[in-house]
């Protein structure tokens, strides 16, 4: 029986499992948010929280212990200098596990694991020149739009032709033909005399 044995095997031999967890924890501290399967996320959570606890102590010995697990020195520096001070007043519970449902390909349960305090903020798309119904544009905005339209109308040029397309040769091909004609007019020195 496996009494007092922590952690799942994740269907891998020990070396492969430890290597995978080391890579996951390194990427997790770099990005502060990672998407993976639910069993991996649960194993990663315990390992990541142990690393943060060591980083909070902040001594050289603890830095070397973290370097055994986290594979990049720049990530360890970030962990000790930026992440650990954020959790100085917190006793554990540094991560959040968010279940996001089954994966499309094989149906495996997936989850996001993120650090507390680094919540995901989606990017807001900006409306380019479109006013919603009921909103009025000011006179300055209307004038700037008109001037932009005039400027862009003047800047519109004939589109470039494809080099070997159905519209004929491009400017580069025409320039090359001119230099070829100029070379033909130059007479080579005669060597027969």
């Amino acid at each position: 029986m496996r009494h007092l044995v922590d952690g799942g095997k994740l269907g891998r031999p020990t070396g492969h499992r430890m290597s995978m967890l080391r890579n996951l924890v390194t990427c997790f501290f770099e990005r502060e948010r990672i998407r993976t399967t639910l069993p991996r996320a649960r194993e990663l959570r315990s390992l990541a929280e142990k690393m943060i606890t060591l980083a909070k102590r902040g001594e050289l010995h603890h830095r070397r212990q973290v370097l055994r697990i986290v594979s990049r020195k720049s990530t360890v520096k970030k962990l000790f200098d930026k992440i650990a001070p954020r959790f100085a007043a917190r006793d554990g519970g540094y991560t959040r596990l968010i279940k996001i449902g089954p994966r499309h390909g094989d149906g495996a349960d997936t989850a996001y694991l993120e650090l507390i305090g680094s919540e995901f903020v989606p990017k807001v798309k900006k409306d380019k020149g479109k006013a919603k119904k009921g909103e009025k544009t000011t006179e300055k905005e209307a004038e700037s739009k008109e001037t932009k339209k005039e400027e862009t109308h003047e800047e519109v040029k004939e589109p470039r032709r494809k080099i070997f397309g159905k519209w004929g040769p491009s400017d580069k091909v025409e320039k090359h033909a001119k230099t070829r004609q100029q070379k033909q007019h130059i007479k080579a020195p005669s060597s027969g005399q």
Side-chain angles (χ1 to χ4, degrees):
M1 290 191 198
R2 300 176 68 235
H3 290 301
L4 298 174
V5 177
D6 249 353
K9 292 188 177 182
L10 301 175
R12 286 166 174 76
T14 306
H16 186 185
R17 181 176 58 249
M18 289 308 298
S19 176
M20 180 190 65
L21 288 173
R22 289 179 67 209
N23 289 333
L24 279 173
V25 79
T26 301
C27 291
F28 174 64
F29 287 131
E30 284 175 358
R31 299 185 177 112
E32 299 186 11
R33 185 173 201 243
I34 196 167
R35 177 184 176 178
T36 184
T37 61
L38 192 57
R40 286 181 193 174
R42 287 182 176 146
E43 292 299 314
L44 176 61
R45 167 191 258 182
S46 66
L47 187 60
E49 294 207 2
K50 287 173 187 171
M51 296 299 108
I52 293 172
T53 303
L54 286 172
K56 281 172 54 177
R57 295 179 189 158
E59 295 177 10
L60 179 63
H61 176 63
H62 301 118
R63 186 177 291 263
R64 287 179 176 159
Q65 284 181 321
V66 170
L67 272 167
R68 284 189 206 162
I69 305 296
V70 180
S71 57
R72 293 189 190 108
K73 289 184 180 180
S74 60
T75 307
V76 173
K77 182 171 174 43
K78 178 182 178 182
L79 176 62
F80 275 77
D81 295 345
K82 294 180 182 176
I83 295 173
R86 281 198 320 212
F87 299 115
R90 190 176 185 103
D91 296 331
Y94 313 117
T95 58
R96 176 184 297 121
L97 189 66
I98 303 167
K99 296 179 184 178
I100 55 176
R103 189 162 51 196
H104 180 69
D106 59 355
D109 289 331
T110 55
Y112 281 117
L113 185 69
E114 64 183 12
L115 288 174
I116 301 290
S118 63
E119 286 77 20
F120 177 69
V121 180
K123 295 180 181 177
V124 179
K125 293 183 179 179
K126 296 179 181 178
D127 292 333
K128 295 183 180 179
K130 295 181 181 178
K132 294 180 182 177
K133 291 181 181 178
E135 290 185 9
K136 296 181 180 178
T137 58
T138 61
E139 292 177 19
K140 291 181 182 178
E141 290 175 358
E143 289 175 13
S144 65
K145 286 180 186 177
E146 288 175 12
T147 56
K148 284 181 183 177
K149 286 181 183 177
E150 291 172 5
E151 290 172 2
T152 55
H153 183 68
E154 291 172 1
E155 292 175 4
V156 173
K157 295 180 181 177
E158 184 179 321
R160 288 185 152 216
R161 294 180 250 166
K162 293 185 177 178
I163 293 177
F164 295 108
K166 48 187 161 179
W167 297 300
S170 70
D171 298 335
K172 290 182 180 178
V173 174
E174 291 171 5
K175 184 184 272 187
H176 184 66
K178 286 180 184 177
T179 56
R180 211 178 313 144
Q181 289 172 356
Q182 290 171 354
K183 286 180 183 177
Q184 288 174 356
H185 292 294
I186 300 172
K187 294 182 180 178
S190 59
S191 61
Q193 295 178 356

